[in-house]
Coordinates of all heavy atoms in Angstrom, one line a residue:
Chain M
N45 N -49.1 -19.0 12.5 CA -48.7 -19.6 11.2 C -47.6 -20.7 11.5 O -47.6 -21.7 10.9 CB -48.2 -18.6 10.3 CG -49.4 -17.8 9.7 OD1 -50.6 -18.2 9.9 ND2 -49.1 -16.6 9.2
S46 N -46.7 -20.3 12.3 CA -45.6 -21.3 12.5 C -46.1 -22.5 13.3 O -45.6 -23.6 13.1 CB -44.4 -20.6 13.1 OG -44.7 -20.2 14.4
L47 N -47.1 -22.3 14.1 CA -47.6 -23.4 14.9 C -48.3 -24.4 14.0 O -48.2 -25.6 14.1 CB -48.6 -22.9 16.0 CG -47.9 -22.2 17.2 CD1 -48.9 -21.8 18.2 CD2 -46.9 -23.2 17.8
T48 N -49.0 -23.9 13.0 CA -49.8 -24.8 12.1 C -48.8 -25.7 11.4 O -49.2 -26.7 10.9 CB -50.7 -24.0 11.1 OG1 -49.8 -23.1 10.5 CG2 -51.8 -23.3 11.8
L49 N -47.6 -25.2 11.2 CA -46.7 -26.1 10.5 C -46.2 -27.3 11.3 O -45.9 -28.3 10.7 CB -45.4 -25.3 10.1 CG -45.7 -24.2 9.0 CD1 -44.4 -23.3 8.9 CD2 -46.1 -24.8 7.7
V50 N -46.3 -27.1 12.6 CA -45.8 -28.3 13.4 C -46.9 -29.0 14.1 O -46.7 -30.0 14.8 CB -44.7 -27.8 14.4 CG1 -43.5 -27.3 13.7 CG2 -45.2 -26.7 15.4
I51 N -48.1 -28.4 14.1 CA -49.3 -29.1 14.7 C -50.3 -29.2 13.6 O -50.9 -28.1 13.2 CB -49.9 -28.4 15.9 CG1 -48.7 -28.0 16.9 CG2 -50.9 -29.3 16.6 CD1 -49.3 -27.3 18.1
P52 N -50.6 -30.3 13.1 CA -51.7 -30.4 12.0 C -53.0 -29.8 12.5 O -53.4 -30.1 13.7 CB -51.8 -31.9 11.8 CG -50.6 -32.5 12.4 CD -50.1 -31.6 13.5
A53 N -53.6 -29.1 11.7 CA -54.9 -28.5 12.0 C -55.9 -29.5 12.4 O -56.8 -29.2 13.2 CB -55.4 -27.6 10.9
S54 N -55.8 -30.7 11.9 CA -56.9 -31.7 12.1 C -56.9 -32.2 13.5 O -57.9 -32.7 13.9 CB -56.6 -32.9 11.1 OG -55.3 -33.4 11.4
I55 N -55.8 -32.0 14.3 CA -55.9 -32.6 15.6 C -56.4 -31.6 16.7 O -56.4 -32.0 17.8 CB -54.5 -33.2 16.0 CG1 -53.4 -32.1 16.1 CG2 -54.0 -34.3 15.0 CD1 -52.2 -32.5 16.9
H56 N -56.7 -30.4 16.3 CA -57.2 -29.5 17.4 C -58.3 -28.7 16.9 O -58.5 -28.4 15.7 CB -56.0 -28.7 17.9 CG -55.4 -27.7 17.0 ND1 -55.8 -26.4 16.9 CD2 -54.5 -27.9 16.0 CE1 -55.1 -25.8 16.0 NE2 -54.3 -26.7 15.4
D57 N -59.0 -28.2 17.9 CA -60.1 -27.3 17.5 C -60.0 -26.0 18.3 O -60.9 -25.2 18.3 CB -61.5 -27.9 17.8 CG -61.5 -28.5 19.2 OD1 -60.7 -28.2 20.1 OD2 -62.5 -29.3 19.5
N58 N -58.9 -25.8 19.0 CA -58.7 -24.6 19.8 C -57.7 -23.7 19.1 O -57.1 -24.0 18.1 CB -58.2 -24.9 21.2 CG -56.8 -25.5 21.2 OD1 -56.4 -26.1 20.2 ND2 -56.0 -25.2 22.3
N59 N -57.5 -22.5 19.8 CA -56.4 -21.7 19.3 C -55.2 -21.9 20.3 O -55.2 -21.5 21.4 CB -56.8 -20.2 19.4 CG -55.7 -19.3 18.9 OD1 -54.6 -19.8 18.6 ND2 -55.9 -18.0 18.9
P60 N -54.2 -22.6 19.8 CA -53.1 -23.0 20.7 C -52.5 -21.8 21.4 O -52.0 -21.9 22.5 CB -52.1 -23.7 19.8 CG -52.9 -24.2 18.6 CD -54.0 -23.2 18.5
V61 N -52.5 -20.7 20.7 CA -51.9 -19.5 21.3 C -52.6 -19.1 22.6 O -51.9 -18.6 23.5 CB -51.9 -18.3 20.3 CG1 -51.3 -17.1 20.9 CG2 -51.1 -18.7 19.0
S62 N -53.8 -19.2 22.6 CA -54.5 -18.8 23.8 C -54.5 -19.9 24.9 O -54.8 -19.6 26.0 CB -55.9 -18.4 23.5 OG -56.5 -19.4 22.6
D63 N -54.1 -21.1 24.5 CA -54.0 -22.2 25.5 C -52.6 -22.5 25.9 O -52.1 -23.6 25.9 CB -54.7 -23.5 25.0 CG -56.2 -23.3 25.1 OD1 -56.7 -22.8 26.1 OD2 -56.9 -23.7 24.2
A64 N -51.8 -21.4 26.0 CA -50.4 -21.6 26.3 C -50.1 -21.8 27.8 O -50.9 -21.2 28.6 CB -49.6 -20.5 25.7
V65 N -49.1 -22.5 28.1 CA -48.6 -22.6 29.5 C -47.2 -22.2 29.5 O -46.4 -22.5 28.6 CB -48.8 -24.0 30.2 CG1 -50.3 -24.2 30.4 CG2 -48.2 -25.0 29.3
V66 N -46.8 -21.6 30.6 CA -45.3 -21.3 30.7 C -44.7 -22.3 31.7 O -45.1 -22.4 32.8 CB -45.1 -19.9 31.2 CG1 -43.6 -19.6 31.4 CG2 -45.8 -18.9 30.3
I67 N -43.7 -23.0 31.2 CA -43.1 -24.1 32.0 C -41.7 -23.6 32.4 O -40.9 -23.0 31.6 CB -42.9 -25.3 31.2 CG1 -44.2 -25.8 30.6 CG2 -42.2 -26.4 32.0 CD1 -45.1 -26.5 31.7
K68 N -41.4 -23.8 33.7 CA -40.1 -23.4 34.2 C -39.2 -24.6 34.0 O -39.4 -25.7 34.5 CB -40.1 -23.0 35.7 CG -40.7 -21.7 35.9 CD -39.9 -21.0 37.1 CE -40.4 -19.6 37.4 NZ -40.8 -18.8 36.3
D69 N -38.1 -24.4 33.3 CA -37.2 -25.5 33.0 C -35.8 -25.0 33.3 O -35.3 -24.1 32.6 CB -37.3 -26.0 31.6 CG -36.4 -27.1 31.3 OD1 -36.5 -28.2 31.9 OD2 -35.4 -27.0 30.5
G70 N -35.2 -25.5 34.4 CA -33.9 -24.9 34.8 C -34.2 -23.5 35.2 O -35.1 -23.2 35.9
G71 N -33.5 -22.6 34.6 CA -33.8 -21.2 35.0 C -34.6 -20.5 33.9 O -34.9 -19.3 33.9
R72 N -35.1 -21.3 32.9 CA -35.7 -20.7 31.7 C -37.2 -20.8 31.8 O -37.8 -21.8 32.4 CB -35.2 -21.5 30.5 CG -34.1 -20.8 29.7 CD -33.6 -21.6 28.6 NE -34.2 -22.9 28.5 CZ -34.8 -23.4 27.4 NH1 -35.0 -22.6 26.3 NH2 -35.3 -24.6 27.3
D73 N -37.9 -19.9 31.2 CA -39.3 -20.0 31.0 C -39.6 -20.4 29.6 O -39.1 -19.8 28.7 CB -40.0 -18.6 31.2 CG -40.1 -18.3 32.7 OD1 -39.9 -19.2 33.5 OD2 -40.3 -17.1 33.0
V74 N -40.3 -21.5 29.4 CA -40.6 -21.9 28.1 C -42.1 -21.9 27.9 O -42.9 -22.4 28.7 CB -40.1 -23.4 27.8 CG1 -40.5 -23.8 26.4 CG2 -38.7 -23.5 28.1
T75 N -42.5 -21.1 26.9 CA -44.0 -21.1 26.6 C -44.4 -22.2 25.7 O -43.8 -22.4 24.6 CB -44.3 -19.8 25.9 OG1 -43.7 -18.7 26.6 CG2 -45.8 -19.5 25.8
V76 N -45.3 -23.0 26.2 CA -45.7 -24.2 25.5 C -47.1 -24.0 25.0 O -48.0 -23.7 25.8 CB -45.6 -25.5 26.3 CG1 -46.1 -26.7 25.6 CG2 -44.2 -25.7 26.8
Y77 N -47.3 -24.0 23.7 CA -48.7 -23.8 23.1 C -49.3 -25.2 23.0 O -48.7 -26.1 22.4 CB -48.6 -23.2 21.8 CG -47.7 -21.9 21.8 CD1 -46.4 -21.9 21.5 CD2 -48.3 -20.7 22.3 CE1 -45.6 -20.7 21.6 CE2 -47.6 -19.5 22.4 CZ -46.2 -19.6 22.1 OH -45.5 -18.4 22.2
R78 N -50.5 -25.3 23.5 CA -51.1 -26.6 23.5 C -52.3 -26.7 22.6 O -53.1 -25.9 22.5 CB -51.6 -26.9 25.0 CG -50.5 -26.9 26.0 CD -50.9 -27.3 27.3 NE -52.0 -26.4 27.8 CZ -52.8 -26.7 28.7 NH1 -52.7 -27.9 29.4 NH2 -53.8 -25.9 29.1
A79 N -52.3 -27.8 21.8 CA -53.4 -28.1 20.9 C -54.4 -29.0 21.6 O -54.0 -29.9 22.3 CB -52.9 -28.8 19.6
M80 N -55.7 -28.6 21.5 CA -56.6 -29.4 22.2 C -57.8 -29.7 21.3 O -58.2 -29.0 20.4 CB -57.2 -28.6 23.4 CG -56.1 -28.2 24.4 SD -56.7 -28.1 26.0 CE -56.0 -26.6 26.6
K81 N -58.3 -30.9 21.5 CA -59.5 -31.3 20.8 C -60.5 -31.8 21.9 O -60.1 -32.7 22.6 CB -59.2 -32.4 19.8 CG -60.3 -32.6 18.8 CD -59.8 -33.4 17.6 CE -60.8 -33.1 16.4 NZ -60.2 -33.7 15.2
G82 N -61.6 -31.1 21.9 CA -62.6 -31.5 22.9 C -62.0 -31.4 24.3 O -62.3 -32.3 25.1
G83 N -61.2 -30.5 24.6 CA -60.7 -30.3 25.9 C -59.5 -31.1 26.3 O -58.9 -30.8 27.3
T84 N -59.2 -32.1 25.6 CA -58.0 -32.9 25.9 C -56.9 -32.4 25.0 O -57.0 -32.1 23.9 CB -58.2 -34.4 25.7 OG1 -58.7 -34.6 24.4 CG2 -59.1 -35.0 26.8
V85 N -55.7 -32.5 25.6 CA -54.5 -32.0 24.9 C -54.2 -33.1 23.9 O -54.0 -34.2 24.2 CB -53.3 -31.8 25.9 CG1 -52.1 -31.4 25.1 CG2 -53.7 -30.7 26.9
T86 N -54.0 -32.6 22.6 CA -53.7 -33.5 21.5 C -52.3 -33.3 21.0 O -51.8 -34.0 20.2 CB -54.7 -33.4 20.4 OG1 -54.7 -32.0 20.0 CG2 -56.0 -33.9 20.8
G87 N -51.7 -32.2 21.5 CA -50.4 -31.9 21.0 C -49.8 -30.7 21.7 O -50.6 -29.9 22.3
A88 N -48.5 -30.5 21.6 CA -47.9 -29.3 22.2 C -46.8 -28.8 21.3 O -46.2 -29.6 20.6 CB -47.3 -29.6 23.6
A89 N -46.6 -27.5 21.3 CA -45.6 -26.9 20.4 C -44.8 -25.9 21.2 O -45.4 -25.2 22.0 CB -46.2 -26.3 19.2
Y90 N -43.5 -25.8 21.0 CA -42.7 -24.9 21.7 C -41.4 -24.6 21.0 O -41.0 -25.4 20.1 CB -42.4 -25.3 23.2 CG -42.0 -26.8 23.2 CD1 -40.6 -27.1 23.2 CD2 -42.9 -27.8 23.3 CE1 -40.2 -28.5 23.2 CE2 -42.6 -29.1 23.4 CZ -41.2 -29.5 23.3 OH -40.8 -30.8 23.3
A91 N -40.8 -23.5 21.3 CA -39.6 -23.1 20.5 C -38.4 -23.7 21.2 O -38.4 -23.8 22.4 CB -39.5 -21.6 20.5
I92 N -37.5 -24.2 20.4 CA -36.2 -24.7 21.0 C -35.1 -24.1 20.2 O -35.2 -23.5 19.2 CB -36.1 -26.3 20.8 CG1 -36.3 -26.6 19.4 CG2 -37.1 -27.0 21.7 CD1 -36.2 -28.1 19.1
E93 N -33.9 -24.1 20.9 CA -32.8 -23.4 20.3 C -31.6 -24.4 20.2 O -31.3 -25.1 21.1 CB -32.4 -22.2 21.1 CG -31.5 -21.3 20.4 CD -31.5 -19.8 20.9 OE1 -32.5 -19.2 20.7 OE2 -30.5 -19.5 21.5
G94 N -31.0 -24.3 19.0 CA -29.8 -25.1 18.8 C -28.7 -24.2 18.3 O -28.9 -23.0 18.0
S95 N -27.4 -24.7 18.3 CA -26.4 -23.8 17.8 C -25.9 -24.4 16.5 O -25.5 -25.6 16.4 CB -25.3 -23.6 18.8 OG -24.6 -24.8 18.9
G96 N -25.8 -23.6 15.5 CA -25.4 -24.0 14.2 C -24.0 -23.4 13.8 O -23.3 -22.9 14.7
Y97 N -23.7 -23.4 12.6 CA -22.5 -22.8 12.1 C -22.5 -21.3 12.2 O -21.5 -20.7 12.6 CB -22.2 -23.3 10.7 CG -20.9 -22.8 10.1 CD1 -19.8 -23.5 10.3 CD2 -20.9 -21.6 9.3 CE1 -18.6 -23.0 9.8 CE2 -19.7 -21.1 8.8 CZ -18.6 -21.8 9.0 OH -17.4 -21.4 8.5
G98 N -23.6 -20.7 11.9 CA -23.6 -19.3 11.9 C -24.2 -18.6 13.1 O -24.6 -17.5 13.1
G99 N -24.4 -19.4 14.2 CA -25.0 -18.9 15.4 C -26.2 -19.7 15.8 O -26.3 -20.8 15.3
P100 N -27.0 -19.1 16.7 CA -28.2 -19.9 17.2 C -29.2 -20.2 16.1 O -29.4 -19.4 15.1 CB -28.8 -18.9 18.2 CG -28.2 -17.6 18.0 CD -26.9 -17.8 17.2
I101 N -29.8 -21.3 16.2 CA -30.9 -21.7 15.3 C -32.2 -21.8 16.1 O -32.1 -22.6 17.1 CB -30.6 -23.1 14.6 CG1 -29.3 -23.0 13.8 CG2 -31.8 -23.5 13.7 CD1 -28.9 -24.3 13.3
T102 N -33.2 -21.1 15.8 CA -34.4 -21.3 16.5 C -35.4 -22.2 15.7 O -35.5 -22.1 14.5 CB -35.1 -19.9 16.7 OG1 -34.1 -19.0 17.1 CG2 -36.2 -20.0 17.7
L103 N -35.9 -23.2 16.5 CA -36.8 -24.1 15.8 C -38.1 -24.2 16.6 O -38.2 -23.8 17.8 CB -36.2 -25.5 15.9 CG -34.8 -25.7 15.3 CD1 -34.0 -26.7 16.1 CD2 -34.9 -26.2 13.8
M104 N -39.2 -24.5 15.9 CA -40.4 -24.8 16.5 C -40.7 -26.3 16.5 O -40.6 -26.9 15.4 CB -41.6 -24.0 15.8 CG -42.9 -24.1 16.5 SD -42.9 -23.4 18.1 CE -43.1 -21.7 17.8
L105 N -40.9 -26.9 17.6 CA -41.1 -28.3 17.7 C -42.5 -28.7 18.2 O -43.0 -28.1 19.1 CB -40.1 -28.9 18.7 CG -40.2 -30.4 19.1 CD1 -39.9 -31.3 17.9 CD2 -39.2 -30.7 20.2
G106 N -43.2 -29.5 17.4 CA -44.5 -30.0 17.8 C -44.5 -31.5 18.2 O -43.9 -32.3 17.4
V107 N -45.1 -31.8 19.3 CA -45.1 -33.2 19.7 C -46.5 -33.6 20.1 O -47.3 -32.8 20.5 CB -44.1 -33.5 20.9 CG1 -42.7 -33.4 20.5 CG2 -44.5 -32.6 22.1
D108 N -46.8 -34.9 20.0 CA -48.1 -35.4 20.5 C -47.9 -35.8 21.9 O -46.8 -35.8 22.5 CB -48.6 -36.5 19.6 CG -47.9 -37.8 19.8 OD1 -47.0 -37.9 20.7 OD2 -48.2 -38.8 19.1
P109 N -49.0 -36.1 22.6 CA -48.9 -36.4 24.1 C -48.0 -37.5 24.4 O -47.5 -37.6 25.5 CB -50.4 -36.7 24.4 CG -51.2 -36.0 23.4 CD -50.4 -36.1 22.1
E110 N -47.7 -38.4 23.5 CA -46.8 -39.5 23.7 C -45.4 -39.1 23.6 O -44.4 -39.9 23.8 CB -47.1 -40.7 22.8 CG -48.1 -41.7 23.4 CD -49.5 -41.1 23.5 OE1 -50.0 -40.7 22.4 OE2 -50.0 -40.9 24.6
G111 N -45.1 -37.9 23.1 CA -43.8 -37.5 22.9 C -43.3 -37.8 21.5 O -42.1 -37.8 21.2
K112 N -44.2 -38.1 20.6 CA -43.8 -38.4 19.2 C -43.8 -37.0 18.4 O -44.7 -36.2 18.6 CB -44.8 -39.3 18.7 CG -44.4 -40.1 17.5 CD -45.5 -41.2 17.3 CE -45.4 -42.0 16.0 NZ -46.6 -42.8 15.8
I113 N -42.9 -36.9 17.5 CA -42.8 -35.6 16.9 C -43.9 -35.4 15.8 O -44.1 -36.3 15.0 CB -41.4 -35.5 16.2 CG1 -40.3 -35.4 17.3 CG2 -41.3 -34.2 15.3 CD1 -38.9 -35.4 16.7
L114 N -44.6 -34.3 15.9 CA -45.6 -34.0 14.9 C -45.0 -33.2 13.8 O -45.5 -33.2 12.7 CB -46.7 -33.2 15.6 CG -47.6 -34.0 16.6 CD1 -48.5 -33.0 17.4 CD2 -48.4 -35.0 15.9
G115 N -44.0 -32.4 14.1 CA -43.3 -31.6 13.1 C -42.3 -30.7 13.7 O -42.3 -30.4 14.9
V116 N -41.2 -30.4 12.9 CA -40.2 -29.5 13.3 C -40.0 -28.5 12.2 O -40.1 -28.8 11.0 CB -38.9 -30.2 13.6 CG1 -37.9 -29.2 14.2 CG2 -39.0 -31.4 14.4
R117 N -39.8 -27.2 12.5 CA -39.5 -26.2 11.5 C -38.4 -25.3 12.1 O -38.5 -24.9 13.3 CB -40.7 -25.3 11.1 CG -41.7 -26.0 10.3 CD -41.2 -26.3 8.9 NE -42.2 -27.0 8.1 CZ -42.4 -28.3 8.1 NH1 -41.7 -29.1 8.9 NH2 -43.4 -28.8 7.3
A118 N -37.5 -24.9 11.2 CA -36.6 -23.8 11.6 C -37.2 -22.5 11.4 O -37.7 -22.2 10.3 CB -35.3 -24.0 10.8
T119 N -37.3 -21.7 12.4 CA -37.9 -20.4 12.2 C -36.9 -19.2 12.1 O -37.3 -18.2 11.5 CB -38.9 -20.1 13.4 OG1 -38.1 -20.3 14.6 CG2 -40.1 -21.0 13.4
A120 N -35.8 -19.3 12.7 CA -34.8 -18.2 12.5 C -33.4 -18.8 12.6 O -33.1 -19.6 13.5 CB -35.0 -17.2 13.6
F121 N -32.5 -18.5 11.7 CA -31.2 -19.0 11.7 C -30.3 -18.2 10.7 O -30.8 -17.4 9.9 CB -31.1 -20.5 11.3 CG -31.7 -20.8 9.9 CD1 -30.9 -20.6 8.8 CD2 -33.0 -21.1 9.7 CE1 -31.4 -20.9 7.5 CE2 -33.5 -21.3 8.5 CZ -32.7 -21.2 7.4
H122 N -29.0 -18.3 10.9 CA -28.1 -17.6 10.0 C -27.1 -18.5 9.3 O -26.0 -18.3 9.2 CB -27.3 -16.6 10.8 CG -28.1 -15.6 11.6 ND1 -28.8 -14.6 11.1 CD2 -28.4 -15.6 12.9 CE1 -29.5 -14.0 12.0 NE2 -29.3 -14.6 13.2
E123 N -27.6 -19.7 8.9 CA -26.7 -20.7 8.3 C -26.4 -20.2 6.9 O -27.1 -19.4 6.2 CB -27.3 -22.1 8.3 CG -27.6 -22.6 9.7 CD -26.4 -22.5 10.6 OE1 -25.5 -23.4 10.5 OE2 -26.4 -21.6 11.5
T124 N -25.3 -20.8 6.4 CA -24.8 -20.4 5.1 C -25.7 -20.8 3.9 O -26.1 -22.0 3.9 CB -23.4 -21.0 4.8 OG1 -22.6 -20.9 6.0 CG2 -22.8 -20.4 3.6
P125 N -26.1 -19.9 3.1 CA -26.9 -20.3 1.9 C -26.2 -21.4 1.1 O -25.0 -21.3 0.9 CB -27.0 -19.0 1.1 CG -26.5 -17.9 1.9 CD -25.7 -18.5 3.0
G126 N -26.9 -22.4 0.8 CA -26.3 -23.5 0.0 C -25.7 -24.6 0.8 O -25.4 -25.6 0.3

Side-chain angles (χ1 to χ4, degrees):
Chain M
N45 287 343
S46 62
L47 287 181
T48 54
L49 291 173
V50 295
I51 312 179
S54 56
I55 65 164
H56 65 96
D57 53 13
N58 69 331
N59 179 358
V61 176
S62 44
D63 283 319
V65 290
V66 177
I67 304 287
K68 282 219 180 323
D69 182 62
R72 262 176 354 123
D73 285 344
V74 180
T75 311
V76 179
Y77 307 98
R78 300 182 306 159
M80 301 209 224
K81 193 162 202 171
T84 52
V85 177
T86 53
Y90 45 92
I92 54 179
E93 192 158 291
S95 71
Y97 179 84
I101 302 173
T102 315
L103 301 147
M104 185 61 82
L105 172 64
V107 290
D108 76 2
E110 270 67 60
K112 202 170 169 186
I113 294 176
L114 291 169
V116 188
R117 285 295 179 276
T119 49
F121 59 86
H122 307 282
E123 300 307 282
T124 315

